[in-house]
Amino acid sequence: MSGADAEAGSYVEAGEFRRDTNYITTRITADGRDGYPVETGRYRLVAARACPWANRTLIVRRLLGLEPVLSLGLCGPTHDKLSWTFDLDPGGVDPVLGIHRLRDAYLARFPDYPRGITVPALVEVRTGQVVTNDYAQMTLDFATEWTAHHRPGAPQLYPQPLRAEIDEINREVFRDINNGVYRCGFAGSQDAYDAAYARLFAALDRISERLRDRRYLVGDTITEADVRLFTTLVRFDAVYHGHFKCNRGKLTEMPVLWAYARDLFQTPGFGDTIDFGQIKEHYYMVHRDINPTGIVPAGPDLSNWLTPHHREQLGGRPFGEGTPPPPPRPAEQVPALS
């Protein structure tokens, strides 16, 4: 199992994949109660387009318009046993942090850091030290603690009246879908795989039924819950169906979820963060225990992500009273689908 991936520090027990969910829980807040107040230019978001957990932060940063206040460092899609690396930058060095490996930022704060080096991470630019890698809390804080820096028209991704329902959906989606595909892919026994497979598709069936007559998971606008589900669905056919043996059916064969995923993909802030080439390169080349040859499959055909979804017939207002984000900055654009 990859030692530096999002599953870093996780393990297999009695054949079952167990994710290490102990993260650096320091928070960047409006009042700075943990010693790290929200400030323009003070922090750098380090992410990787390949990683579903990091992809959440890229989407939320776009939707809320945090680009002017929170710079972005992107690691390449592959890494070595020590750390994610800045292979996409000239000389393999992040131009702001001046480091080749994300590991350097972790060790700058915790010299004996014992866990996996994961993305996303927020790094304090001045000290070069990691502040947090708690990806689940990170996007919630973007929505609630960084409000002074939201763009005009930013959506309410974690509205107070809906938080309990969003939290409940998020728990199920994480347990059975986001992490469920990994439990299939890294199962160490047939029994563990069979159980994970059944649990994953039972959850997908439940979510599909929920979305049959509603455009979004909670309320009538996009929320944090949709962001979290989308990053797994968008990788399903390209990676999880084959690579992780989640092969009861492809996403394209699940009518409700396929239409829902295309609806989000075609919404500004979602599909324009997705780089399918990096996604496939990461999973198929890094997980050599699953794919020893490192061969990256040529398919699937991706042009169907741009076909009509007709979900607008269900109503709903993608951004509520807000507006879509502007196009990505030129330096942050992803390859267009052909």
Side-chain angles (χ1 to χ4, degrees), residues 55-105:
N55 196 173
R56 298 177 182 181
T57 62
L58 299 178
I59 292 170
V60 172
R61 176 177 172 270
R62 282 268 296 122
L63 294 178
L64 299 179
L66 293 177
E67 294 98 327
V69 299
L70 180 64
S71 68
L72 176 63
L74 287 172
C75 297
T78 62
H79 51 68
D80 58 29
K81 63 182 180 180
L82 292 178
S83 175
W84 290 88
T85 52
F86 295 96
D87 301 331
L88 305 177
D89 293 304
V93 175
D94 180 88
V96 172
L97 300 175
I99 57 176
H100 175 60
R101 301 176 186 278
L102 178 56
R103 180 174 183 261
D104 295 341

Side-chain angles (χ1 to χ4, degrees), residues 189-262:
S189 72
Q190 187 69 50
D191 287 346
Y193 166 75
D194 290 343
Y197 177 97
R199 190 171 173 179
L200 166 66
F201 283 99
L204 288 172
D205 289 343
R206 290 194 302 273
I207 292 295
S208 178
E209 190 59 35
R210 180 182 181 89
L211 289 167
R212 188 172 300 280
D213 58 1
R214 57 193 303 165
R215 191 171 179 184
Y216 304 111
L217 282 170
V218 182
D220 67 347
T221 65
I222 291 166
T223 68
E224 172 82 12
D226 299 295
V227 175
R228 295 192 183 197
L229 178 59
F230 172 77
T231 58
T232 295
L233 294 184
V234 79
R235 288 163 173 76
F236 202 89
D237 287 5
V239 175
Y240 303 140
H241 178 271
H243 185 57
F244 278 179
K245 306 178 184 70
C246 302
N247 60 355
R248 190 190 74 177
K250 297 178 181 177
L251 179 67
T252 54
E253 297 166 345
M254 307 176 205
V256 172
L257 292 178
W258 173 225
Y260 166 81
R262 276 179 294 153

Side-chain angles (χ1 to χ4, degrees), residues 22-52:
N22 293 302
Y23 295 99
I24 302 168
T25 57
T26 309
R27 292 174 62 187
I28 298 171
T29 57
D31 63 6
R33 56 187 176 271
D34 284 359
Y36 294 94
V38 171
E39 291 180 11
T40 298
R42 180 167 175 174
Y43 310 100
R44 185 161 175 82
L45 172 62
V46 178
R49 294 199 186 279
C51 170

